[in-house]
């Protein structure tokens, strides 16, 4: 095959390939085909003025002479990137110039980012906002945050209240701010995530302050024309309570679909009149060090999990102690007697929710992978690069776990020493 | 609070409901609150219950007595029909004020009725006291303030200092209540108090309670919540097929092969620090 590529005008990468393999006869044939090639993939106006495509001339001929059609766009170079750009901007822009009404959403912002529940209640807020013209959804954020996707999550207006006091537990101060917002904006609804200490606490405080009988544990809203009603969990989640929708709402996770197809302004606003400082009656004395071994596996934040690939279990326990991680194990490690049964991770053991899950010497049986479904970041140390755990992991290290763990122990101890010397 | 005044703790007790048999029982969280109070030692405990006295309630209340208290003070309100009616709150406030308590301990929500968890907040507002929720233990009570341990998600704890008097609600993570013993439960007494002053409710309060829409509320056995489906927004048939059929693919993670142990360790530590799970301040 000696067709020179120079003579085929570069229309697209695989036009050239296609042409070489399917017409390996004549050198100049390529030149004759060239205008046709150009038309083939873009479609061509027929004499009747209808756009036509040649359906048989798609794909390319693979290395073994078989025609291949790849619709992923991976083979088409430049075309794929154009497609991606088109997809990104496909979100409809939702903008409100002069909002007449407001719906306030007070997010938990766990770890400085919108949690899944926060995104759900933003979706709920937009369901309510859609019922009234010129209604903007405003998000109230206390303290520092790391979130960059406010616009994608459905935030029309953003009220960011800064201050060092918001780092800790400061319900009185937060309530004072919310009361100030209430006075100034008179929002139609206040929506909180009904979660333990964040929105659950603050929302109840505000409801009592505003003398509203809040809907707690809300999981469904029915927005009929006759009137809005909602369904809440009652009697310690054994009953459903259907009632009219009040102004203050404390909603459970998955109460509504999060925003997925619109882009919002996330425009920052400021409050005209800030609340006065007051003497706090509750003082935050800071976090208390908790022994990670005493934390139950299901709610541990950081788990170091060991499996069949671990040779030195003493070193494993030492690593967990130095890293401050809760220990977990795969079924094999438990069956072999290296770890107790209550430390088993997976569908047959404990379903974990850790933010960081570090799997050492675990190849990733399907039951184990199910058990770590809701983990954010997975680190994996394994000798086999082809195992399922490596596919699941966000960071996979292929090598001997004993050596790598030893290096981790050494480096973390060094870092701690440095820190202590500086302090 | 003067120096020699003892610490008085009012524990609000409610009648709970067994999740399976639906029989009245001691409410789990209230029992934990009582346990917390009992473990304090050296305090005067006033167990309080607002509600009607009947056979079923008595059995439930007696199981609190079986935890080692001699008496429960029971206040019978006039109207019990409305949830969280001003009357119940009034009785609670009166009961707390009569007991002279500096600390009110209770569970975070009831096991029957609306169980909205609003009562402690309403009571705190009525009393004008601060409220702290999600309590695990009381570490220390000093003159005019208490040091508390609050439960955070993921098994973490936070230390707080609150000025007394205060309303405190316990977290489900607090220590489990001790068993109820039969003998003390039968020997203990439930003493009915009528409110020291009759509920002097203003007309506006009554109006609000009767006008409140809670009469229109409908209770049903809890429905199972629909499971959220994964929404696939694919433009081509290939994408849809892939989303439906594909096994967990490589999630775009970083795979490092053939690196030295030191480099690998550095990568791990970098990620742990980014996620903020590695605490370099702790000893060793």
């Amino acid at each position: 095959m000696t067709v020179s590529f120079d003579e085929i005008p570069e229309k697209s990468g695989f036009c050239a390939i296609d042409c070489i393999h399917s017409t390996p006869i004549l050198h100049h044939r390529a030149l004759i085909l060239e205008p046709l090639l150009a038309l083939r993939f873009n479609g061509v106006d027929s004499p009747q003025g209808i756009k036509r495509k040649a359906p048989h001339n798609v794909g390319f001929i693979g290395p073994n002479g078989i025609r291949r059609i790849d619709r992923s766009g991976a083979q088409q170079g430049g075309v794929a990137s154009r497609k991606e750009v088109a997809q990104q901007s496909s979100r409809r822009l939702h903008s409100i110039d002069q909002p007449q009404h407001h719906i306030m959403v007070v997010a938990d912002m766990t770890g400085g980012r919108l949690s899944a529940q926060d995104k759900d209640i933003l979706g709920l807020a937009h369901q309510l906002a859609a019922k009234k013209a010129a209604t903007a959804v405003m998000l109230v954020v206390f303290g520092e945050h790391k979130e960059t996707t406010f616009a994608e999550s459905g935030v029309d207006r953003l009220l960011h209240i800064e201050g060092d006091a918001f780092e800790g537990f400061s319900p009185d101060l937060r309530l004072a701010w919310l009361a100030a917002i209430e006075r100034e904006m008179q929002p139609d609804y206040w929506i909180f995530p009904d979660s333990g200490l964040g929105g659950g606490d603050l929302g109840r405080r505000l409801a009592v302050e505003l003398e509203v009988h809040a809907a707690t544990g809300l999981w469904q809203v029915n927005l009929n024309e006759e009137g809005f009603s909602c369904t809440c969990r009652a009697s310690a989640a054994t009953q459903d309570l259907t009632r009219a929708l009040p102004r203050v709402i404390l909603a459970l996770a998955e109460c509504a679909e999060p925003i997925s197809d619109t882009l919002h302004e996330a425009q920052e606003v400021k409050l005209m009149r800030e609340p006065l400082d007051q003497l706090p009656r509750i003082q935050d004395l800071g976090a208390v060090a908790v022994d990670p071994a005493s934390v139950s596996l299901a709610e541990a934040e950081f788990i170091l999990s060991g499996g069949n690939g671990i040779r030195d279990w003493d070193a494993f326990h030492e690593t967990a102690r130095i890293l401050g991680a809760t220990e977990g194990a795969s079924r094999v490690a438990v069956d072999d007697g290296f770890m107790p049964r209550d430390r088993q991770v997976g569908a047959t053991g404990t379903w974990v929710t850790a933010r960081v899950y570090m799997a050492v010497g675990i190849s990733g049986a399907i039951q184990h992978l199910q058990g770590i479904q809701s983990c954010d970041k997975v680190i994996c140390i394994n000798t086999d690069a082809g195992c399922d755990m490596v596919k699941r992991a966000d960071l996979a290290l292929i090598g001997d776990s004993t050596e790598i763990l030893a290096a981790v122990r050494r480096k973390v101890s060094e870092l701690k020493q440095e820190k202590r010397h500086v302090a | 609070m003067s120096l020699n005044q003892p610490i008085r703790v009012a524990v609000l007790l409610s009648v709970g409901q067994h999740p399976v048999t639906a029989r009245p029982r001691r409410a789990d969280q209230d029992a934990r609150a009582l346990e917390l109070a009992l473990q304090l030692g050296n305090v005067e405990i006033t167990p309080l219950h607002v509600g009607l006295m009947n056979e079923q309630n008595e059995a439930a209340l007696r199981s609190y007595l079986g935890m080692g208290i001699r008496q429960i003070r029971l206040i019978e309100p006039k109207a019990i029909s409305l949830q969280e009616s001003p009357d119940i709150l009034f009785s609670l406030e009166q009961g707390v004020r009569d007991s002279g308590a500096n600390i009110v301990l209770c569970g975070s929500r009831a096991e029957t009725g609306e169980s909205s968890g609003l009562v402690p907040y309403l009571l705190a507002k009525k009393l004008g006291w601060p409220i702290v929720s999600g309590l695990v233990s009381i570490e220390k009570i000093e003159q005019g303030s208490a040091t508390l341990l609050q439960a955070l998600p993921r098994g973490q704890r936070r230390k707080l200092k609150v000025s007394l008097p205060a309303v405190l609600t316990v977290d489900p993570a607090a220590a489990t209540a001790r068993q109820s013993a039969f003998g003390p439960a039968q020997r203990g007494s439930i003493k009915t108090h009528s409110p020291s002053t009759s509920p002097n409710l203003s007309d506006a309060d009554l109006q609000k309670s009767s006008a409140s829409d809670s009469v229109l509320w409908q209770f049903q056995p809890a429905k199972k919540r629909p499971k959220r489906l994964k929404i696939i927004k694919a433009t081509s048939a290939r994408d849809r097929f892939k989303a439906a059929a594909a096994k967990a693919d490589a999630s775009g993670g970083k795979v490092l092969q053939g690196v030295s142990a030191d480099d690998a360790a550095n990568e791990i530590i970098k990620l742990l620090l980014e996620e903020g799970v590695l605490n370099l301040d702790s000893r060793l």
Side-chain angles (χ1 to χ4, degrees):
Chain A
M1 224 134 348
T2 53
V3 179
S4 100
F5 280 85
D6 299 351
E7 289 173 51
I8 303 167
E10 285 273 344
K11 285 297 171 204
S12 80
F14 66 87
C15 286
I17 298 165
D18 193 359
C19 150
I20 293 159
H21 288 263
S22 57
T23 60
I25 312 148
L26 275 176
H27 191 160
H28 63 263
R29 177 104 185 255
L31 290 174
I32 301 163
L33 275 175
E34 184 262 323
L36 279 176
L37 280 170
L39 299 171
R40 183 197 293 169
F41 295 99
N42 302 330
V44 56
D45 288 333
S46 72
Q48 287 81 25
I50 302 163
K51 206 154 211 173
R52 299 241 178 244
K53 269 185 183 174
H56 299 293
N57 292 334
V58 291
F60 62 99
I61 306 295
N64 44 10
I66 298 170
R67 182 181 293 276
R68 298 253 175 227
I69 303 173
D70 185 352
R71 298 201 194 277
S72 70
Q75 289 287 329
Q76 299 175 11
V79 183
S81 63
R82 225 181 299 149
K83 205 171 173 185
E84 269 167 36
V85 170
Q87 259 178 8
Q88 273 189 355
S89 59
S90 71
R91 277 189 167 217
R92 188 162 43 81
L93 187 71
H94 179 272
S95 64
I96 293 163
D97 298 330
Q98 296 284 325
Q100 304 294 314
H101 312 280
H102 287 98
I103 292 177
M104 289 291 160
V105 175
V106 185
D108 269 354
M109 304 291 288
T110 345
R113 297 196 187 90
L114 286 171
S115 65
Q117 194 176 1
D118 290 340
K119 290 182 180 171
D120 293 344
I121 61 167
L122 278 166
L124 178 72
H126 274 284
Q127 279 187 17
L128 290 167
K131 294 286 169 185
K132 211 167 178 183
T135 306
V137 173
M138 188 183 286
L139 182 77
V140 182
V141 176
F142 290 108
E144 291 289 302
H145 70 80
K146 297 182 225 158
E147 184 61 59
T148 52
T149 61
F150 285 127
E152 286 85 353
S153 313
V155 180
D156 292 325
R157 297 287 185 273
L158 178 67
L159 183 58
H160 185 201
I161 304 169
E162 280 157 294
D164 297 334
F166 297 121
E167 297 309 309
F169 187 62
S170 49
D172 287 341
L173 185 61
R174 286 171 198 239
L175 183 64
W177 272 93
L178 296 186
I181 295 169
E182 166 74 20
R183 278 195 297 276
E184 195 168 314
M185 309 250 182
Q186 292 286 335
D188 288 8
Y189 293 100
W190 282 96
I191 310 184
F192 295 83
D194 196 355
S195 56
L197 272 181
D201 183 52
L202 197 56
R204 286 183 174 88
R205 283 174 199 271
L206 184 74
V208 169
E209 185 74 27
L210 303 182
E211 296 186 349
V212 176
H213 197 144
T216 56
L218 176 141
W219 62 275
Q220 200 172 42
V221 287
N222 317 307
L223 305 176
N224 306 322
E225 272 77 40
E226 306 93 73
F228 297 169
S229 67
C230 60
T231 312
C232 309
R233 284 283 193 241
S235 304
T238 58
Q239 290 203 304
D240 272 343
L241 164 64
T242 308
R243 54 173 289 190
L245 191 67
R247 266 189 75 212
V248 180
I249 298 165
L250 283 88
L252 296 176
E254 301 197 3
C255 56
E257 289 298 331
I259 297 294
S260 60
D261 50 4
T262 49
L263 198 64
H264 297 255
E265 293 166 291
Q267 195 181 324
E268 285 238 19
V269 290
K270 287 270 170 257
L271 216 56
M272 301 276 197
R273 227 180 275 162
E274 300 186 354
L276 299 170
D277 277 343
Q278 50 182 335
L279 199 66
R281 293 183 293 182
I282 302 165
Q283 206 183 337
D284 193 342
L285 300 181
V288 178
V290 179
D291 177 17
S294 71
V295 178
S296 86
L297 203 53
E299 60 170 11
E301 191 170 29
F302 174 28
I303 296 175
L304 179 69
S305 196
N308 200 24
I310 297 234
R311 296 280 155 266
D312 187 352
W313 280 95
D314 290 338
F316 173 80
H317 296 310
E318 179 71 9
T319 314
R321 199 172 62 82
I322 289 178
L323 289 177
T326 305
E327 287 181 10
S330 73
R331 189 189 56 79
V332 183
V334 173
D335 281 356
D336 290 352
F338 292 115
M339 292 284 273
R341 182 63 70 187
D342 66 326
R343 292 282 137 189
Q344 183 183 328
V345 174
T348 42
T350 311
W351 292 64
V352 298
T353 57
R355 218 142 52 76
V356 179
Y357 184 81
M358 196 160 152
V360 185
I362 299 176
S363 60
I366 188 72
Q367 290 86 350
H368 194 87
L369 291 178
Q370 281 170 354
I372 63 167
Q373 243 168 13
S374 50
C375 295
D376 279 353
K377 295 269 177 200
V378 176
I379 306 173
C380 150
I381 304 176
N382 212 307
T383 46
D384 174 13
C387 68
D388 284 341
M389 188 56 93
V390 171
K391 287 181 189 153
R392 166 69 174 84
D394 297 275
L395 173 64
L397 302 151
I398 314 301
D400 181 34
S401 68
T402 317
E403 279 174 29
I404 295 178
L405 286 187
V408 168
R409 281 199 302 277
R410 201 178 57 242
K411 284 193 180 286
V412 172
S413 301
E414 277 170 19
L415 281 172
K416 283 185 180 178
Q417 290 247 306
E418 263 174 49
K419 185 112 192 228
R420 221 170 298 155
H421 283 306
V422 170
Chain B
M1 190 164 51
S2 70
L3 264 169
N4 43 14
Q5 197 181 344
I7 304 288
R8 291 207 181 91
V9 181
V11 186
L12 310 187
L13 304 175
S14 67
V15 175
Q17 190 184 38
H18 193 276
V20 179
T21 62
R23 275 190 194 152
R25 61 160 188 182
R26 60 171 190 187
D28 179 59
Q29 291 197 21
D30 291 339
R32 282 170 201 256
L34 183 57
E35 175 71 39
L36 205 65
L38 288 169
Q39 278 178 2
L40 278 177
N42 205 15
V43 293
E44 247 177 65
I45 300 174
T46 314
L48 262 177
H49 174 70
V50 175
L52 295 177
M53 187 66 172
N54 55 33
E55 210 171 295
Q56 287 185 324
N57 285 358
E58 189 181 344
L61 289 177
R62 286 220 174 265
S63 58
Y64 287 114
L65 288 172
M67 288 171 69
I69 48 174
R70 281 205 209 99
Q71 198 184 67
I72 289 179
R73 193 184 286 207
L74 183 129
I75 304 170
E76 284 193 331
K78 293 227 170 70
I80 192 84
S81 58
L82 289 175
Q83 298 294 329
E84 280 121 39
S85 72
D87 198 16
I88 291 182
L89 265 181
F90 182 86
S91 307
L92 273 178
E93 189 201 349
Q94 277 301 317
V96 171
R97 288 213 190 274
D98 288 349
S99 70
N102 335 90
I103 295 177
V104 174
L105 264 173
C106 57
S108 60
R109 53 151 71 171
E111 290 179 358
T112 55
E114 195 195 348
S115 78
S116 63
L118 282 166
V119 171
Y121 291 87
L122 288 165
L123 181 65
K125 173 115 193 274
K126 249 187 169 317
L127 293 165
W129 296 359
I131 175 167
V132 176
S133 53
L135 198 72
V136 184
S137 70
I138 299 176
E139 293 210 316
K140 201 162 49 176
I141 298 178
E142 291 155 337
Q143 293 308 312
S145 72
T147 312
L148 319 167
L149 217 53
Q150 194 184 33
L152 298 179
R154 303 204 170 277
Q156 302 301 304
R157 301 282 183 265
R158 175 160 64 193
K159 207 180 269 189
L160 298 174
K161 195 171 184 182
V162 63
S163 62
L164 295 180
V167 179
L168 312 172
T169 73
V170 298
D171 192 81
T176 43
R178 62 190 68 179
Q179 274 192 329
S180 175
F182 183 75
Q186 300 311 307
R187 283 195 293 276
S189 67
I190 301 171
K191 206 169 172 195
T192 309
H193 282 246
S194 50
S196 56
T197 47
S198 65
N200 189 12
L201 293 174
S202 65
D203 286 346
D205 271 348
L206 285 173
Q207 200 105 57
K208 211 161 70 190
S209 71
S210 59
S212 99
D213 51 8
S214 55
V215 255
L216 300 172
W217 290 3
Q218 288 163 12
F219 283 94
Q220 286 153 338
K223 260 186 284 178
K224 209 171 176 191
R225 289 183 63 185
K227 212 172 172 190
R228 180 178 275 177
L229 297 173
K230 209 162 95 190
I231 299 167
I232 298 150
K233 289 199 171 161
T235 44
S236 71
R238 180 182 185 274
D239 292 347
R240 279 194 296 277
F241 178 73
K242 242 179 94 182
K247 204 180 156 190
D249 222 8
S251 54
K254 199 152 95 176
V255 181
L256 295 178
Q257 204 157 9
V259 293
S260 71
D262 277 2
D263 290 345
N266 281 338
E267 283 289 332
I268 292 173
I269 291 167
K270 205 178 100 195
L271 196 143
L272 296 183
L273 288 174
E274 262 172 32
E275 287 299 314
V277 288
L278 192 59
N279 183 9
L280 294 178
D281 293 329
S282 66
R283 303 220 143 252
L284 258 175

